[in-house]
Amino acid sequence: MQRFQLYIDGAFCDGEASFESLDPATGTAWAQMPEAREADVDRAVESAHKALYDGAWSRMTATQRGKLLYKLADLVAANASRLAELETRDTGKIIRETSAQIAYVAEYYRYYAGIADKIEGSYLPIDKPDMEVWLRREPVGVVAMVVPWNSQLFLSAVKVGPALAAGCTLVLKASEDGPAPLLEFARLVHEAGFPPGVVNVITGFGPSCGAALGRHPRIAHVAFTGGPETARHVVRNSAENLASTSLELGGKSPFIVFADADLESAANAQVAGIFAATGQSCVAGSRLIVERSVKDRFIAILKRKAEAVRIGSPLDMATEVGPLATARQRQHISELVERSTAAGARIVTGGWMPEGGGFYYPPTILDCDGVDSPSLVEEFFGPVLSVVSFETEEEALLLANDTVYGLASGVFTQNLTRAHRLMKGIRAGVVWVNTYRAVSPIAPFGGFGLSGHGREGGLAAALDYTRTKTVWLRTSDDPIPDPFVMR
Ligand code: NAD
């Protein structure tokens, strides 16, 4: 069985304990993972703290930091297929997607490499004649990063890239469900030549590892991606160290199709939005809101496409839908489908649990028109689409905004003015018009409501890993006047 290690203070080591990771395609153990507990977490955070304030990293110029990030980007690109295979093996995400996604992850590191020496302070035109005052931008401190199992290299790149560009040091906690790709990524960090302690990569379970990391007294910021319930723990824990938090959480994203849309193209986008990555995507367009006059036609196209999807081994380049990452996840999906059909939702396709090894679940469509279905409200994080229809634009917008989430959304129409009205009216952090599931390091990403706060990607994300320091310098040689009056 393959064995992985933690990466702490520039060295690879075992954890306090270990656990087996299952191959989601077969349900059998394939690798032994190190399990970090409180003492490992403490060592990792202490090494990051030392690296931040007293070490080679703290003496580096921003340009030098950028050069290390460029090196890391090249290494990620050169090792993309190896990392992709590991991610596919450990999480079941199809190789077709992991190889393309990880090759693109290198672009995130390149983008932030370029930003490292463009983070500027500012000079203040202060209202006192004998003072020079300016703002320095300094790293916010030691950052804890916690990610879920899906797209771990991507979800960590949007944190690690800007944090390192800003000069922070960090402890990155891989998900206990499929940590292999991040533990292997640590080898690239090592090879790139980052000084010890700048990047630490660990894994372990939520309460014993994630919680210990989030509330550690030396942590200044927690960058979290995961579910809203876990986020509440993260926020509660931050009451101890008063760390700031950025939260990228779940979604129940609306996918609105008007009758004038190119239905074939919209259906392809809908397939990408709900069946790609076996629906384990925070931006999954899981609520189809379709104009009533084309509902039957659109559902027929979707049904045809859903039933033609190639389900199989995630390591096969031809596979389009692989297994879910864990048996637990599949169980959750199956139960939510059952509760929804019990409430009256009608199965258009799918909705059954395949027999045999592996955590497979077929692409599923539920017609929820006129039904108070839990599938319209709760996140599946799986390949299940819930459909409702509308008559008017106002109704479509009301349905779209009828959610506690607000991460992503899609609008499909040829009508330009209507597209503009919806862009403005939809309460979500991302609106895709006539496209879906597009990302770039240049475009910020994040949610409204229970989808969290903070943005990842873009220039501002690097600034979010900094804090300002106000420096006052008196230019007069005269003695300080009246000490009892504030200057
Ligand atoms: P999760 O919230 O269960 O776990 C996420 C991470 O948090 C894991 O590493 C876990 O070990 C850790 N964790 C658990 N308890 C903790 C605690 N008390 N303190 C600190 N860390 C703790 O999420 P999941 O089920 O693995 O992933 C699915 C969720 O992630 C979905 O809700 C999905 O929408 C969301 N997600 C969001 C985005 C985004 O960018 N908005 C991207 C991907 C996934």
Side-chain angles (χ1 to χ4, degrees):
M1 215 187 294
Q2 212 164 317
R3 243 181 92 241
F4 289 82
Q5 289 188 300
L6 306 173
Y7 182 59
I8 297 176
D9 201 22
F12 293 90
C13 58
D14 292 331
E16 283 171 69
S18 65
F19 64 98
E20 286 181 344
S21 201
L22 303 186
D23 178 343
T26 60
T28 54
W30 77 281
Q32 190 159 54
M33 300 297 173
E35 184 197 335
R37 291 189 185 161
E38 201 149 346
D40 292 319
V41 169
D42 190 56
R43 268 192 325 116
V45 177
E46 288 300 339
S47 87
H49 180 81
K50 188 159 178 287
L52 180 63
Y53 294 110
D54 176 25
W57 181 252
S58 61
R59 291 188 290 273
M60 260 182 205
T61 63
T63 309
Q64 287 170 324
R65 285 204 306 271
K67 283 184 180 161
L68 279 179
L69 273 166
Y70 276 122
K71 221 164 168 181
L72 182 60
D74 290 345
L75 284 167
V76 170
N79 289 276
S81 58
R82 203 165 54 80
L83 290 170
E85 210 172 306
L86 277 177
E87 182 168 351
T88 295
R89 192 77 205 276
D90 215 13
T91 67
K93 188 167 182 165
I94 59 170
I95 192 83
R96 205 153 133 181
E97 173 149 12
T98 53
S99 27
Q101 191 180 44
I102 295 172
Y104 195 50
V105 158
E107 295 305 319
Y108 280 78
Y109 285 108
R110 250 174 226 133
Y111 176 79
Y112 285 108
I115 280 178
D117 59 6
K118 287 151 202 85
I119 297 174
E120 296 171 352
S122 57
Y123 178 79
L124 304 185
I126 208 72
D127 56 347
K128 304 189 192 303
D130 59 347
M131 294 282 191
E132 296 289 319
V133 180
W134 63 96
L135 291 182
R136 288 171 52 80
R137 266 198 187 271
E138 299 190 351
V140 72
V142 178
V143 181
M145 301 178 177
V146 179
V147 293
W149 77 77
N150 65 311
S151 313
Q152 289 191 67
L153 283 160
F154 173 74
L155 295 172
S156 51
V158 294
K159 299 172 176 58
V160 174
L164 292 178
C168 295
T169 59
L170 59 102
V171 180
L172 169 62
K173 180 201 163 310
S175 171
E176 63 274 36
D177 296 320
L182 280 189
L183 296 173
E184 191 61 23
F185 165 75
R187 301 208 168 264
L188 306 185
V189 170
H190 193 72
E191 195 179 334
F194 283 88
V198 173
V199 177
N200 301 274
V201 185
I202 61 174
T203 188
F205 296 91
S208 52
C209 179
L213 176 61
R215 64 167 176 253
H216 195 287
R218 293 224 193 265
I219 294 294
H221 180 80
V222 184
F224 174 79
T225 299
E229 217 26 65
T230 317
R232 290 192 175 97
H233 286 291
V234 169
V235 172
R236 275 185 214 113
N237 282 336
S238 73
E240 294 196 27
N241 54 12
L242 299 182
S244 54
T245 57
S246 48
L247 309 171
E248 295 289 344
L249 312 177
K252 198 73 209 174
S253 301
F255 188 105
I256 310 172
V257 178
F258 285 90
D260 67 352
D262 176 338
L263 294 188
E264 265 298 326
S265 174
N268 269 345
Q270 177 69 89
V271 167
I274 190 66
F275 301 139
T278 321
Q280 295 165 111
S281 164
C282 52
V283 295
S286 54
R287 286 186 301 138
L288 168 61
I289 299 168
V290 57
E291 192 161 344
R292 201 153 299 149
S293 59
V294 292
K295 179 187 166 192
D296 289 347
R297 194 144 53 95
F298 192 62
I299 288 192
I301 302 174
L302 278 180
K303 181 174 188 298
R304 175 169 46 78
K305 287 184 187 285
E307 289 172 358
V309 157
R310 278 191 295 260
I311 303 174
S313 162
L315 282 163
D316 182 346
M317 254 317 185
T319 295
E320 293 167 331
V321 166
L324 293 150
T326 61
R328 187 183 73 243
Q329 184 59 16
R330 182 168 73 154
Q331 194 55 32
H332 158 73
I333 291 163
S334 165
E335 283 169 13
L336 186 44
V337 167
E338 271 172 34
R339 279 197 285 126
S340 303
T341 50
R346 297 166 295 277
I347 293 178
V348 176
T349 185
W352 51 279
M353 183 103 101
E355 308 238 313
F359 312 139
Y360 290 89
Y361 198 89
T364 296
I365 301 174
L366 300 177
D367 185 345
C368 302
D369 248 344
V371 181
D372 205 1
S373 175
S375 68
L376 286 166
V377 179
E378 299 172 37
E379 190 183 33
F380 278 97
F381 216 57
V384 184
L385 177 67
S386 301
V387 187
V388 285
S389 62
F390 65 89
E391 293 277 3
T392 64
E393 184 183 313
E394 291 69 30
E395 206 187 332
L397 189 58
L398 279 175
L399 286 167
N401 286 334
D402 186 16
T403 175
V404 291
Y405 292 109
L407 189 55
S409 56
V411 178
F412 289 77
T413 179
Q414 310 271 0
N415 182 327
L416 186 66
T417 52
R418 174 158 63 200
H420 274 273
R421 286 191 296 274
L422 282 151
M423 267 178 240
K424 205 169 149 198
I426 290 176
R427 293 195 293 272
V430 180
V431 184
W432 284 301
V433 180
N434 293 331
T435 186
Y436 206 81
R437 216 166 169 245
V439 290
S440 161
I442 302 160
F445 174 89
F448 290 14
L450 287 199
S451 292
H453 56 73
R455 293 292 176 265
E456 294 189 323
L459 173 62
L463 298 182
D464 287 347
Y465 284 99
T466 66
R467 57 187 167 188
T468 57
K469 181 183 276 176
T470 310
V471 181
W472 292 75
L473 186 128
R474 185 165 176 253
T475 53
S476 167
D477 290 329
D478 297 341
I480 291 198
D482 186 352
F484 297 103
V485 176
M486 207 170 166
R487 295 223 58 210

